[in-house]
């Protein structure tokens, strides 16, 4: 099995992945709030909003890191 040595220089971060992560996180949060408002009463409870914020941030971070 051949061993490949990678370049040890740090990766250049792409601005598009940062912006994409933010846009996806905001979009997920908006969709969460809209769905929660349809499935429960309007406005959704603070617990439901906090859960949506956690999920949106996690998805945004995942998109940001996956796009590097």
């Amino acid at each position: 099995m051949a061993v490949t040595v990678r370049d040890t220089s740090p990766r250049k971060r792409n601005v598009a992945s940062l912006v994409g992560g933010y846009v996806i996180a905001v979009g997920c949060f908006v969709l969460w709030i809209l769905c929660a408002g349809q499935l429960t009463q309007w406005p959704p409870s603070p617990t439901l909003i906090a859960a949506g914020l956690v999920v949106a941030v996690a998805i945004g971070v995942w998109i940001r890191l996956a796009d590097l």
Side-chain angles (χ1 to χ4, degrees), residues 1-62:
M1 179 181 287
V3 176
T4 305
V5 178
R6 292 184 133 191
D7 188 18
T8 57
S9 63
R11 288 185 175 189
K12 185 177 178 183
R13 297 190 183 234
N14 192 354
V15 175
S17 66
L18 177 64
V19 172
Y22 284 139
V23 169
I24 295 296
V26 168
C28 287
F29 183 67
V30 168
L31 287 174
W32 181 283
I33 295 300
L34 291 174
C35 289
Q38 290 293 318
L39 296 174
T40 62
Q41 80 281 359
W42 184 259
S45 67
T47 307
L48 205 53
I49 292 172
L53 188 62
V54 168
V55 169
V57 167
I59 290 173
V61 168
W62 179 65

